[in-house]
């Protein structure tokens, strides 16, 4: 799954650079295609999860692998209009490596050990983001765009084939006598699950907003050259937090972790220069990054029935992608109309608003059950 996630961390920056430099379009046009792919992934994740639940791993991975490979191999030969037209369906057919990895871990790891397993998985994600975009940028700047995008398609296809070949379990073994009927949506899409999805979306809103505000602050202060170092330290802090979260016997609940993630980023803009001070004040909020994401995944795996876990993990994937898609324009608007310091405020408060919408409703008192008529009881 580490290998499967690597091309996913490259595709956004490679498509942007190809459209801007190869096709001569602006960043707005590149953002349109990127938004289409992200929207397709968000729409496709729960549908693919449902297909995993119904048909198993191999058929779905085979179809997605072929579709994703075809899109990226054909991309350097398509005009911009065609790329924009197929962006959403191409995103829908992307192999959902993230939600699939979480399903496999839920099937292989006992419940009491899942926090450690999901923490390790989140650490793996941070590692891919530390090296994936850098490899992609180095490739497209030294090699031709056609070769780079074609190689990316082959990498997508190769990792999909490896997943198909290994065929890891995505659900625990069931007793053959057990009822395999799929539970209805209203029986498992509870407010606890909805709250968890909102926390996941809010966390990604904070993360993408923090990264955008950090880039804006470094650029405004003339320190854009140390961006790579600052982001590497942010990732390292998240990895350290994930290690601690997975190693301790008992960690903080997801609501508290989300609160810390959001509130710790709000005052960062007060110390945005010099660059090393900004880097240091970003460490606390990033320490709870991986724990927050791991905690939401652990909650989803615990409360979603195994028969529908694929769809539940797909909903989590969709929530995180929507948080990403919403965070960039909102925080970007705040930065454009004020300063990078207010971008950190917008990232923290915006993520907190999204998460609290579920957490407040979750803790609201449940309505009293309606009385059952005597005729119905008999």
């Amino acid at each position: 799954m580490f290998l499967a996630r690597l091309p996913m961390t490259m595709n956004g920056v490679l498509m942007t650079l190809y459209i801007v430099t190869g096709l001569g379009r602006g960043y707005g046009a590149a953002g349109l295609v990127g938004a289409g792919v992200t929207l397709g992934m968000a729409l496709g994740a729960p549908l693919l999860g449902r297909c995993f639940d119904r048909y198993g791993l191999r058929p779905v991975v085979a179809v997605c692998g072929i579709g994703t490979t075809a899109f990226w191999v054909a991309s350097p030969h398509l005009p911009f209009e065609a790329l924009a037209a197929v962006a959403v369906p191409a995103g829908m057919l992307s192999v959902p490596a993230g939600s699939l990895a979480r399903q496999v871990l839920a099937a292989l790891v006992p419940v009491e050990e899942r926090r450690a397993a999901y923490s390790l998985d989140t650490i793996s994600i941070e590692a891919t983001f530390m090296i994936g975009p850098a490899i992609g940028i180095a490739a497209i700047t030294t090699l031709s765009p056609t070769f780079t995008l074609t190689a990316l398609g082959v990498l997508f296809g190769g990792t999909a084939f490896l997943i198909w070949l290994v065929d890891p379990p995505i659900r625990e073994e069931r007793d053959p006598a057990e009822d395999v009927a799929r539970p209805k949506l209203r029986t498992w899409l509870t407010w606890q699950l909805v709250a968890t999805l909102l926390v996941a979306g809010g966390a990604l809103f904070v993360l993408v907003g923090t990264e955008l505000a950090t880039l804006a602050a470094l650029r405004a202060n003339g320190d854009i050259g140390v961006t790579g170092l600052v982001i590497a330290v942010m990732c390292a802090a998240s990895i350290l937090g994930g290690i601690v979260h997975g190693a301790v016997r008992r960690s903080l609940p997801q609501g508290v972790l989300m609160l810390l993630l959001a509130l710790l980023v709000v005052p960062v803009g007060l110390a945005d220069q010099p660059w090393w001070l900004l880097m240091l004040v970003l460490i606390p909020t990033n320490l709870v990054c991986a724990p927050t994401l791991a905690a939401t995944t652990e909650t989803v795996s615990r409360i979603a029935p195994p028969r529908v876990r694929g769809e539940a993990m797909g909903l989590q994937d969709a929530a995180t992608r929507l948080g990403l898609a919403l965070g960039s324009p909102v925080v970007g608007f705040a930065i454009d109309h004020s300063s990078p310091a207010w971008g950190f405020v917008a990232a923290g408060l915006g993520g907190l608003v999204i998460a609290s919408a579920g957490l407040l409703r979750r803790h609201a008192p449940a309505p009293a059950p309606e009385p059952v008529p005597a005729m119905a009881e008999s």
Side-chain angles (χ1 to χ4, degrees):
M1 290 305 172
F2 175 84
L3 293 176
R5 283 171 171 145
L6 270 179
M8 297 180 68
T9 63
M10 305 177 195
N11 60 7
V13 66
L14 289 183
M15 182 59 75
T16 298
L17 291 175
Y18 170 67
I19 292 175
V20 172
T21 60
L23 298 181
R25 298 280 183 151
Y27 284 97
L32 178 64
V33 175
V37 174
T38 301
L39 177 62
M41 288 180 172
L43 294 174
L47 297 177
L48 292 176
R50 191 180 182 93
C51 290
F52 279 124
D53 292 333
R54 183 171 183 178
Y55 302 110
L57 181 143
R58 278 187 163 176
V60 183
V61 169
V63 171
C64 291
I66 293 172
T68 305
T69 302
F71 170 72
W72 286 101
V73 170
S75 290
H77 308 288
L78 297 177
F80 172 77
E81 293 75 13
L83 280 176
V86 300
V88 173
M92 294 182 70
L93 282 177
S94 297
V95 177
S99 59
L100 185 57
R102 294 189 290 268
Q103 278 185 262
V104 172
L105 288 176
L108 293 176
V109 180
V111 175
E112 63 274 10
E113 300 292 342
R114 284 180 187 168
R115 177 159 48 84
Y118 286 131
S119 297
L120 184 60
D121 183 59
T122 307
I123 291 170
S124 173
I125 296 174
E126 292 287 356
T128 61
F129 275 99
M130 290 179 72
I131 63 176
I135 294 175
I137 293 173
I140 200 169
T141 52
T142 56
L143 305 171
S144 70
T146 299
F147 177 84
T148 303
L149 295 183
T150 302
L152 183 65
V154 173
L155 185 57
F156 268 116
T159 54
F161 174 73
L162 288 177
I163 296 173
W164 181 91
L165 188 65
V166 174
D167 191 20
I170 57 176
R171 197 160 56 235
E172 300 93 327
E173 293 185 5
R174 293 193 309 266
D175 186 341
E178 181 185 351
D179 181 17
V180 295
R182 181 183 180 85
K184 294 182 179 180
L185 182 66
R186 65 175 180 270
T187 64
W188 59 269
L189 190 57
T190 60
W191 271 110
Q192 185 184 11
L193 182 56
V194 172
T196 302
L197 298 178
L198 289 171
V199 170
L204 267 296
F205 183 101
V206 174
L207 296 181
V208 70
T210 301
E211 183 175 334
L212 186 60
T214 300
L215 293 175
L218 292 173
R219 184 174 180 271
N221 297 326
D223 295 318
I224 197 69
V226 298
T227 301
L229 174 60
V230 174
I231 292 179
V233 170
M234 293 167 64
C235 292
S238 180
I239 289 174
L240 178 60
I243 293 173
V244 174
H245 177 75
V248 297
R249 294 182 61 86
R250 187 173 183 178
S251 185
L252 297 173
Q254 64 178 13
V256 176
L257 290 169
M258 178 64 213
L259 185 65
L260 291 173
L261 178 71
L263 293 183
L264 286 173
V265 78
V266 170
V268 166
L270 298 175
D272 62 349
Q273 57 178 325
W275 66 267
W276 56 265
L277 180 59
L278 174 64
M279 181 177 68
L280 292 178
V281 296
L282 282 168
I283 290 177
T285 186
N286 281 279
L287 283 173
V288 293
C289 167
T292 305
L293 299 179
T296 58
T297 302
E298 183 185 4
T299 304
V300 172
S301 71
R302 186 181 69 249
I303 63 181
R307 186 69 179 80
V308 295
R309 189 177 289 142
E311 188 172 358
M313 293 293 185
L315 288 172
Q316 183 191 3
D317 217 13
T320 58
R321 295 190 185 282
L322 291 176
L324 283 172
L326 187 61
S328 293
V330 171
V331 176
F333 180 86
I335 294 172
D336 290 339
H337 291 79
S338 54
S339 66
W342 283 102
F344 293 108
V345 177
L349 296 184
L352 196 60
V353 167
I354 295 173
S356 63
L359 293 176
L360 293 178
R361 176 61 181 83
R362 175 183 169 185
H363 293 293
E370 297 182 2
V372 180
M375 290 289 292
E377 290 181 349
S378 60

